[in-house]
Amino acid sequence: NAGVMQNPRHLVRRRGQEARLRCSPMKGHSHVYWYRQLPEEGLKFMVYLQKENIIDESGMPKERFSAEFPKEGPSILRIQQVVRGDSAAYFCASSLQGALTDTQYFGPGTRLTVL
Amino acid sequence: EDKVVQSPLSLVVHEGDTVTLNCSYEVTNFRSLLWYKQEKKAPTFLFMLTSSGIEKKSGRLSSILDKKELSSILNITATQTGDSAIYLCAGSDGSSNTGKLIFGQGTTLQVKP
């Protein structure tokens, strides 16, 4: 019974490159959340998706960041033209129903380093 | 603006000690309070609290929510070195009906042998 999977676990990019982070939710879960953890800070909500729909992207930076959760395959968080300030740990969580009292289970995170 | 504040930010104890971690919240349309333990990888779920005054227990860990004081505590008794981790508290924001979590900064606990 695999938990939430994220890959890659570590990603190094140079300024201006693109970063693609993948998240496969727990089996049976169709609700995905992305959070970012900057150094010395707590996790900050970025976006909430259901299959083929972005439900809440209020925490996403307005430019360069996008997310999708296609009908088939993992959820993708895409960061275009990365800058040093994008260096952080990006965590994905999934829940069964997306209900307000539904538990979110986290993946191991992707640690992005921008050189 | 919604916020969750944890205290202390860090704590060093010896094995066998009892610790109490604090969490206070100001979250729009608050629905639930969650505790996670974060070691080197995924934050792992500990508790979800929705009702005030009802203690939840799991082994040596217990937690309770006080909606009047907008706070929660996490207790760990007879601490072990394996309890060393960052403990995260989060409030569930019901305002957009999405259940997004507002996290505190975390409390870093170090348990010495």
Side-chain angles (χ1 to χ4, degrees):
Chain A
N1 187 17
V4 178
M5 312 273 284
Q6 287 188 251
N7 67 80
R9 295 289 307 277
H10 299 274
L11 182 62
V12 179
R13 284 287 178 266
R14 296 193 179 278
R15 279 179 297 170
Q17 291 184 319
E18 179 180 288
R20 278 185 178 240
L21 288 62
R22 293 174 191 76
C23 168
S24 297
M26 281 179 73
K27 190 174 180 181
H29 287 193
S30 57
H31 300 260
V32 165
Y33 301 78
W34 285 93
Y35 294 84
R36 176 165 66 173
Q37 188 173 36
L38 292 166
E40 309 301 324
E41 293 187 20
L43 282 85
K44 296 273 194 289
F45 168 79
M46 298 181 76
V47 61
Y48 163 49
L49 310 104
Q50 294 176 22
K51 287 278 185 184
E52 299 184 280
N53 282 306
I54 297 174
I55 307 301
D56 181 350
E57 55 182 347
S58 58
M60 287 275 270
K62 295 284 185 265
E63 295 175 351
R64 303 187 296 108
F65 284 72
S66 62
E68 62 177 11
F69 190 12
K71 192 176 178 182
E72 302 290 337
S75 175
I76 307 279
L77 179 69
R78 184 176 172 216
I79 312 172
Q80 294 178 290
Q81 299 174 349
V82 295
V83 300
R84 289 226 174 101
D86 296 333
S87 295
Y90 291 83
F91 288 93
C92 161
S94 74
S95 71
L96 185 60
Q97 297 174 330
L100 294 174
T101 53
D102 216 12
T103 301
Q104 293 178 29
Y105 295 93
F106 281 80
T110 293
R111 274 149 185 86
L112 172 66
T113 302
V114 180
L115 301 177
Chain B
E1 186 182 328
D2 293 341
K3 65 179 177 181
V4 173
V5 177
Q6 293 184 244
S7 64
L9 291 182
S10 64
L11 192 54
V12 181
V13 301
H14 287 93
E15 271 192 317
D17 288 349
T18 293
V19 298
T20 298
L21 310 184
N22 302 287
C23 174
S24 63
Y25 62 89
E26 292 176 30
V27 176
T28 309
N29 293 322
F30 171 83
R31 294 305 177 96
S32 57
L33 191 292
L34 293 90
W35 285 96
Y36 290 86
K37 177 182 181 183
Q38 185 178 21
E39 293 169 274
K40 294 208 170 166
K41 35 187 184 176
T44 51
F45 172 75
L46 295 175
F47 298 110
M48 174 186 283
L49 305 156
T50 53
S51 300
S52 201
I54 298 174
E55 186 183 54
K56 289 212 172 178
K57 287 195 73 154
S58 175
R60 296 176 293 102
L61 277 66
S62 64
S63 184
I64 195 161
L65 177 67
D66 185 338
K67 284 186 173 180
K68 219 180 208 180
E69 297 295 324
L70 304 183
S71 66
S72 173
I73 59 170
L74 175 69
N75 279 321
I76 309 175
T77 58
T79 51
Q80 301 170 358
T81 54
D83 295 327
S84 296
I86 300 172
Y87 289 84
L88 302 171
C89 166
S92 173
D93 175 5
S95 58
S96 60
N97 215 37
T98 61
K100 69 184 182 188
L101 299 177
I102 312 297
F103 279 88
Q105 327 91 296
T107 292
T108 301
L109 173 65
Q110 183 184 357
V111 181
K112 292 188 170 179

